[in-house]
Amino acid sequence: MSEQTLSPATGRSPAATQPGGEPARTTLKSIGIVVAAGAVGLLAALFVPAPMALAAALAVFCIGMWATAAAPEYWTALAFFLVAVLSGIAPPQTVFSGFYSSTFWLLFGGMILGASIRYTGLGARMAAALSGMLGKRYSTVVAGVTVFSLALAFVMPSSIGRIVLLLPIVIGLADHMGYGAGANGRTGMVLAAAFGTFLPAFTILPANAPNMIMAGMAETLYGERFSYWAYLLTHFPVLGLLKTWVLVVLIVKMFPDGDPQRPPDTGDKQADMSPAEKRLALVLAACLVLWLTDALHHVSPGWIALAAGLFCLWPASRLTSKKCINEEVNYASLFFVAGILGLGAVISSAGLGETVVERLSEHADFSADRPVWNVIMLTGISTLVAMITNLPGVPVVMTPMAENLSALTGLPLTTVLMTQVLAFSNVFLPYQAPPLITAMLLGGLPTGAVVRLCLVMFAIGALVLMPLDLLWWYALGMM
């Protein structure tokens, strides 16, 4: 896996800007991925309708290109749009649905807010105020950022919104502590903020989209209502607290760095906030209040971020530079996110996920006298659905089938539904999770760093945390 990510200024990966860019190796990767996608499409065509087989081939191509960085991420997204529209695999409004999703505009608004935080100096001020609270060791800094990020998940429902709010502050904090661009310490702090506010938050009912999709569909389809505290009790001890501790240990070990080097204290009083900083602080406070109260006004976080971004871009606000929209908005990143969202919509529209679940269920060897086996197989099926579609695709595909799966396995309906949480809280690769993609783009994270952490966390989640969680479920009487 190459360590490339998108350049904030140009929207291009570093390898793409180098002369040659290792063309032979990237060409071989691309050819291999195209061959694999074609083979999957031809094989699938023997068992499923042509549109579904084409969706499978397109998914293998896009995921393979994104995972191996064989081409810049935006190139693969644009290729997806072209092939999907020309093939007629789905209507154009489905293919391009990512462009009018709230997630897309939340990322756009987040880019503007991040540029404004840097331009006004508010980020540096907030970083200076926070740095003294995180201790003097690198490990305590990572732990403090992770715990603070998790705590924010209890009060702010949108994971991408939390990342948009956190990352400019954490990047400023890293600069203040002497962790410059490319330093392990900076990467570790940004990873702590992104993963800390995302992965353990699957155990907090309103904190991530898949949780809410599953809860809403379960109530609509079966009248099954999850209480906040029952859901927290079921998942938070292992998949929340223990996973947070594992995350801190892994980041410190995988991205080691020296202790922070704070600027010497001269005893001078920090200058008062400028008028621009005060205006931006009010904008951020208004965003936070509106994000926290979205259950009351029902305005999506994306449109709130867009409104805030528009205000920051308004020349009279003096919160961004005149060249902000041209030089500080990474349009390549926006194409990338729109491509990922569009691919998920096309796969869902083709019915590929449901077909995979049906075929796997036929061979899962469910038995009412083997509840542990049943839970493991259900989690495995949901995990595969997450890889084929994305994390929000798990409840969309699995929840309508939960009643039938409950009858097949003899497990309570609630237990069948909860196996989805084991799956969508264990991320295999970042393409499955738009919040992690957002963090990569806003935080300038190397793709390889995010992928390595995902893979190690996935292995620990499957081999250690899931068995421990099943023991906890047994103690709660769910098995």
Side-chain angles (χ1 to χ4, degrees):
M1 181 64 59
S2 67
E3 290 273 330
Q4 63 173 292
T5 187
L6 295 175
S7 162
T10 65
R12 294 179 293 176
S13 58
T17 65
Q18 296 169 0
E22 298 184 337
R25 187 162 65 175
T26 56
T27 299
L28 286 175
K29 282 183 185 179
S30 302
I31 292 172
I33 292 165
V34 170
V35 170
V40 168
L42 291 174
L43 183 63
L46 300 175
F47 305 99
V48 298
M52 199 177 295
L54 182 55
L58 195 55
V60 170
F61 170 75
C62 291
I63 292 168
M65 295 292 281
W66 284 326
T68 63
E73 292 90 340
Y74 67 85
W75 187 93
T76 304
L78 293 172
F80 157 73
F81 294 136
L82 178 65
V83 174
V85 169
L86 291 181
S87 66
I89 188 175
Q93 59 266 33
T94 301
V95 175
F96 294 106
S97 59
F99 284 103
Y100 54 81
S101 72
S102 173
T103 298
F104 178 89
W105 293 105
L106 186 57
L107 175 57
F108 175 82
M111 289 179 176
I112 303 301
L113 288 173
S116 187
I117 287 172
R118 292 189 297 272
Y119 179 75
T120 60
L122 183 62
R125 180 182 296 274
M126 296 173 73
L130 286 172
S131 65
M133 305 177 187
L134 298 178
K136 298 180 179 180
R137 304 292 299 274
Y138 174 59
S139 57
T140 62
V141 169
V142 170
V145 170
T146 306
V147 171
F148 177 78
S149 302
L150 173 59
L152 190 61
F154 280 95
V155 297
M156 188 173 176
S158 168
S159 55
I160 296 183
R162 295 193 299 271
I163 286 170
V164 166
L165 189 66
L166 276 171
L167 291 201
I169 298 171
V170 172
I171 290 170
L173 185 60
D175 288 334
H176 184 77
M177 292 183 167
Y179 299 121
N184 268 0
R186 186 190 192 93
T187 299
M189 290 175 67
V190 176
L191 286 171
F195 279 76
T197 201
F198 178 62
L199 280 188
F202 285 110
T203 65
I204 305 165
L205 188 56
N208 282 349
N211 316 358
M212 294 305 297
I213 293 171
M214 181 187 67
M217 293 184 70
E219 183 173 1
T220 300
L221 295 174
Y222 311 117
E224 189 87 3
R225 300 188 67 178
F226 302 135
S227 77
Y228 180 96
W229 294 110
Y231 186 91
L232 193 71
L233 178 65
T234 301
H235 300 294
F236 190 71
V238 176
L239 300 182
L241 283 177
L242 186 55
K243 182 173 281 191
T244 300
W245 178 79
V246 170
L247 181 62
V248 171
V249 172
L250 284 180
I251 290 175
V252 173
K253 296 294 184 183
M254 293 175 67
F255 306 97
D257 210 329
D259 294 333
Q261 302 295 319
R262 295 179 174 84
D265 186 4
T266 61
D268 295 336
K269 183 180 178 182
Q270 194 173 26
D272 293 337
M273 292 178 68
S274 68
E277 287 178 282
K278 291 178 181 178
R279 286 194 298 274
L280 182 57
L282 289 175
V283 171
L284 293 174
C287 285
L288 184 58
V289 169
L290 290 171
W291 282 332
L292 291 174
T293 57
D294 66 343
L296 299 177
H297 54 70
H298 304 294
V299 178
S300 173
W303 313 132
I304 295 169
L306 178 58
L310 283 173
F311 179 80
C312 292
L313 288 172
W314 184 38
S317 72
R318 297 192 297 279
L319 296 180
T320 54
S321 71
K322 294 179 180 179
K323 298 181 179 180
C324 176
I325 197 69
N326 293 322
E327 296 183 356
E328 298 186 57
V329 175
N330 190 341
Y331 294 101
S333 303
L334 295 173
F335 282 130
F336 178 31
V337 170
I340 286 179
L341 298 174
L343 177 62
V346 166
I347 291 172
S348 178
S349 173
L352 182 61
E354 291 86 344
T355 299
V356 169
V357 172
E358 290 171 359
R359 299 294 170 86
L360 290 176
S361 297
E362 294 171 1
H363 303 284
D365 195 22
F366 291 127
S367 175
D369 59 353
R370 295 191 295 174
V372 175
W373 170 261
N374 293 338
V375 168
I376 292 173
M377 291 305 296
L378 287 172
T379 303
I381 292 171
S382 294
T383 300
L384 187 57
V385 170
M387 294 179 183
I388 294 171
T389 58
N390 52 26
L391 302 185
V394 174
V396 171
V397 171
M398 297 297 295
T399 305
M401 307 184 71
E403 197 166 52
N404 290 337
L405 292 171
S406 176
L408 280 173
T409 59
L411 293 170
L413 178 61
T414 300
T415 302
V416 172
L417 291 167
M418 291 301 102
T419 60
Q420 297 179 35
V421 183
L422 293 173
F424 59 58
S425 65
N426 205 20
V427 183
F428 182 62
L429 287 173
Y431 76 85
Q432 298 171 262
L436 292 185
I437 296 298
T438 302
M440 288 168 59
L441 302 177
L442 291 181
L445 287 170
T447 302
V450 181
V451 168
R452 287 202 308 273
L453 186 56
C454 278
L455 290 175
V456 176
M457 284 296 298
F458 180 85
I460 293 174
L463 300 176
V464 179
L465 297 181
M466 189 179 82
L468 291 175
D469 206 39
L470 295 187
L471 287 174
W472 178 244
W473 286 16
Y474 182 79
L476 294 176
M478 295 177 58
M479 296 175 58

